[in-house]
Amino acid sequence: MHEPTDRVRRAERSQIRVMFDLAESTDRDLVRLEVGEPDFDTPEHVIDAAATAAREGATHYTSNAGLPECRRAIRDAMAADYGVKHDLDEIVVTVGGMEALHLATLATVGPGEELLYPGPAWPNYETQAFLAEGTPVEVPMQAETGFGLDADRLVSRMGPETAAVVLTTPSNPTGRVYDPDAIRAVVEAADEYDAYVIADEVYAGLTYGRDPRGIAALSGHPEHVLTVGSCSKTYAMTGWRLGWLAGDRSIIDEVVKIRESTTACASSIAQHAAIEALTGPQEPFEEMYDAFERRRDYVADRIDGIDGLSAPRPEGAFYAFLDPDVDADSLTFAKYLLEEHGVVLAPGSGFGTAGEGRLRLSFANSMEQLELGLDRIAAGIDAY
Ligand code: PLP
């Protein structure tokens, strides 16, 4: 029988998934802090808008780029919330941020070319580079600076083979928001090497205590920036699978063409839900944002008070990247915490070499569960 291709075989099973499966296979009482999605349901007004649209006939394919009203809503939200300005034909509505990243990688990274990203990083970039037959390159950032963006390190690894660099801000898994000057330096270098910066801004709406400017708005070379956004995290809409890609026409035109052979278009019903989320009442989303910020404060304070535990203070998203002072690799320690102390975290090694020794805690969970989970982590470190 013909073997599956290398490009699919090189992709590894995510370690977050390993922990998820372990947690699912036991009937113990567990505190689940490994999950990377809001614990809130989509607000009612969004569900109503989608249901009404479906009843009124929005059950057909849309154009490949997406409904014009949906692209208008995205265009206006990007400009108002993040200062990123695009024309309608520079925006494609995608099946979540994941499809946007996949399409951006396929359109920019050729066989043998490099896709760079500062580590630790979300594991999907590596797989997406493999699918494009490119070479994923993790450039480890420094733990001592809390994994902030070290532009010198990243830029010194760039070269003629670099086709694209992914910058994720706020970051999954570290919760860091990158410094604007460092971002500018990376975009400048992309201009020099004729490469792209893929700006993964799916968590931009969850930036705490500072202005969430988009990377394209920060740089002098917006034509080198492809912006990925999503309704998933800010609007509690992970299951609707609705995101977008915005950027230079030369790339967007190609993306619109090839996606005819992948998904053709995002769900028509989800596009109507997105229009309502982006243009309708914002109070439910503001309440979620406030809840995430309160949890961030609580988690950061608790970490400070636990002996043998530290983490860079999360500035965005809903992750704290824990550094437990124990002599164990992160998968072993994550399994120990699950099995002996009933708390589930994502092992840092699942986010690349720079993540080894760390654990990602998601605070997309109730205060009660966070309190209990942190008690269990403290007990686990103490007893190890
Ligand atoms: N980028 C990052 C860093 C993520 O963590 C995720 C989801 O977990 C995504 C992109 C894609 O999310 P979605 O496809 O739900 O928009």
Side-chain angles (χ1 to χ4, degrees), residues 232-245:
S232 285
K233 317 286 177 172
T234 315
Y235 301 98
M237 289 175 62
T238 46
W240 298 82
R241 312 306 305 125
L242 204 290
W244 54 87
L245 178 68

Side-chain angles (χ1 to χ4, degrees), residues 103-185:
L103 292 171
T105 308
L106 280 181
T108 56
V109 181
E113 291 181 334
E114 293 174 348
L115 177 73
L116 264 60
Y117 39 85
W122 191 50
N124 295 37
Y125 309 133
E126 179 183 68
T127 308
Q128 287 173 341
F130 287 146
L131 295 180
E133 299 191 11
T135 307
V137 180
E138 177 199 356
V139 184
M141 296 292 107
Q142 286 164 290
E144 302 76 52
T145 62
F147 303 108
L149 178 61
D150 182 337
D152 289 345
R153 258 189 193 218
L154 191 56
V155 169
S156 67
R157 182 58 190 77
M158 289 172 75
E161 300 305 317
T162 307
V165 180
V166 186
L167 292 182
T168 313
T169 182
S171 157
N172 173 10
T174 67
R176 290 303 302 267
V177 171
Y178 290 155
D179 175 64
D181 288 335
I183 290 174
R184 275 186 210 105

